[in-house]
Structures are given as structure tokens and as C-alpha cells.
Amino acid sequence: MVNALWAAGADGVTIMGQRLIATSAVRCVGNVLLLQGRTYSPPFVVTAVGDADAMRERLGQSYEVSLLQQAVDRFGLTYRVEDSSQVDLPAYDGALDLQYASAAG
């Protein structure tokens, strides 16, 4: 879902109120989400700011989102897309330094 939102030109995205940046790693372990040193359990809330029509269209075209929707139907999960006229996303508050990558020289 997050990749589809970025591909649709989202200006900003949060998961569970945590602002994502280009180096954010969203990891799932079972049904637990690991994000920026914190763990989250469902239900997960993803919020995006941008062109709502473009984002909704891209979500509808995404193969990965279609897999999610199949799981929703199969296992009785919840998936809902809502529009809001005003959304405030918090600033990113994590580290900006790459911790495990370095330039070869």
C-alpha cells in the first residue's frame, strides 16, 4: 500500500502516526509491524497526503493491494479507504544517518 501511495505522488505518508521518509523500512513479522524501532499490532492506519483521486486510482491498480484485498475477503480482515479534507502529518523524528550502509572508497 505504501509503495502504491508513493507511486501515485503522495506528498507524505504515515503509518500509525509515524512519518515515513525514503529510508524508512516497513517490516512485517507475522501480523506485527516493525517501524522505526517500534512495534505495532493491527489494525494498522496508513495516512497519506496528496492527490486523492490519483492515490485511489493507483491503489486500485496495484497488484500488491489486490493481494491485500484478497486476504481481506478470505480471512475477514478490514480494509477501508477514506478521504479527509484536512490531514496533518507529523514531522519525521527519527535518525537521518544511514546506520548500516557506507560508501565504498
Side-chain angles (χ1 to χ4, degrees):
M1 177 179 294
V2 171
N3 288 337
L5 293 168
W6 286 129
D11 295 318
V13 179
T14 67
I15 299 177
M16 305 301 284
Q18 294 295 315
R19 183 71 173 260
L20 302 183
I21 61 171
T23 57
S24 295
V26 181
R27 296 185 180 107
C28 294
V29 179
N31 70 341
V32 174
L33 177 71
L34 305 175
L35 177 63
Q36 296 164 187
R38 298 180 186 147
T39 58
Y40 300 95
S41 297
F44 304 114
V45 176
V46 178
T47 305
V49 172
D51 182 326
D53 292 333
M55 290 187 292
R56 191 178 288 276
E57 181 178 339
R58 187 66 179 208
L59 289 173
Q61 296 171 348
S62 168
Y63 173 73
E64 290 79 11
V65 174
S66 72
L67 291 177
L68 171 62
Q69 289 176 321
Q70 290 173 26
V72 165
D73 295 339
R74 188 174 199 186
F75 302 112
L77 305 174
T78 301
Y79 172 78
R80 173 173 73 232
V81 177
E82 298 176 0
D83 290 341
S84 180
S85 61
Q86 183 173 344
V87 173
D88 292 319
L89 301 183
Y92 178 75
D93 66 355
L96 294 175
D97 297 334
L98 294 176
Q99 297 176 13
Y100 302 104
S102 62

